[in-house]
Amino acid sequence: MKSVARSGKSADARAIRQLLRACETRFTDWEVPTPFTITRLVEHLSDRRNRLIHLIPTELGADRPSGIWLALPALDVVIYESRTSRTHQEHIIAHELAHMLCEHTQEAPLDRDTAGRLFPGLDPRLVQQMMGRTKYPDGDELEAEVMASVILCRMNSRPPSGTSVPDSDSRGILHRLERSFSIGGGSAV
């Protein structure tokens, strides 16, 4: 029984590594100029897709999704939780942009409370109907999460050689963090 569980974990890890490589390739294909910020990535994707992308910080609440991508007829809207850290906001935005990069076509479900909060004065049932919400297949969510990781890793990558180098303490911390966040990175001790 244990060998079956181990081989299942190995197959899962292998599938994740393949997905990571595919996401890295796809990201490279989008030719995002480096270095970049989330704002610059939004501008680049908007230009490349020929569609305006509008970011809207909103208090979504802990019991709601922390980010929503609305693919409207004329533009894309990314709504993200405003009451969280900047780092978490960037992750939420990167995840929603990842759905665009991966060319996913279905948006996240919009529940009635969220619809009412985002579009006050309109019947939430009408908003839900107009938005045509369906759930992402689990594979799309996983792919978006992996692509978000690629985005954030590239966005926060080390400066090119020839620029200032961190001191030895900082290098040690960076090395442990890289090992902790890499697939199969092992212990960060």
Side-chain angles (χ1 to χ4, degrees), residues 43-147:
E43 292 167 358
H44 180 76
L45 293 180
S46 183
D47 289 344
R48 288 285 308 265
R49 295 174 72 238
N50 201 28
R51 285 177 59 84
L52 180 64
I53 301 170
H54 189 64
L55 302 179
I56 302 176
T58 304
E59 291 182 19
L60 295 170
D63 59 338
R64 309 256 182 312
S66 55
I68 301 168
W69 166 37
L70 303 173
L72 303 175
L75 71 142
D76 291 298
V77 176
V78 172
I79 300 165
Y80 62 95
E81 177 59 58
S82 62
R83 293 183 306 163
T84 190
S85 69
R86 179 175 172 218
T87 301
H88 188 212
Q89 289 175 353
E90 288 178 346
H91 179 89
I92 295 164
I93 295 166
H95 177 93
E96 300 307 326
L97 295 175
H99 284 298
M100 295 175 208
L101 283 164
C102 295
E103 300 175 351
H104 297 157
T105 56
Q106 298 174 323
E107 292 79 35
L110 190 64
D111 63 65
R112 284 187 185 174
D113 290 339
T114 303
R117 193 178 295 187
L118 297 175
F119 301 98
L122 293 177
D123 179 356
R125 289 175 295 187
L126 176 63
V127 172
Q128 282 182 302
Q129 188 177 26
M130 287 172 45
M131 301 309 290
R133 296 292 142 224
T134 56
K135 291 187 178 181
Y136 280 112
D138 289 341
D140 284 359
E141 279 303 316
L142 176 60
E143 185 177 31
E145 198 59 29
V146 171
M147 179 61 87

Side-chain angles (χ1 to χ4, degrees), residues 158-159 164-179 188:
R158 290 184 183 169
S164 63
V165 177
D167 60 40
S168 62
D169 288 340
S170 297
R171 281 194 307 270
I173 292 168
L174 287 171
H175 177 71
R176 287 192 301 278
L177 286 170
E178 284 176 343
R179 287 188 56 208

Side-chain angles (χ1 to χ4, degrees), residues 20 23-24 27 32 34 36-39 41 86-98 101 144-158 181:
L20 177 59
C23 287
E24 287 173 339
F27 185 83
V32 177
T34 55
F36 66 94
T37 61
I38 283 291
T39 302
L41 178 60
R86 179 175 172 218
T87 301
H88 188 212
Q89 289 175 353
E90 288 178 346
H91 179 89
I92 295 164
I93 295 166
H95 177 93
E96 300 307 326
L97 295 175
L101 283 164
E145 198 59 29
V146 171
M147 179 61 87
S149 296
V150 169
I151 291 168
L152 295 171
C153 283
R154 298 272 182 103
M155 186 175 89
N156 297 310
S157 65
R158 290 184 183 169
F181 290 112

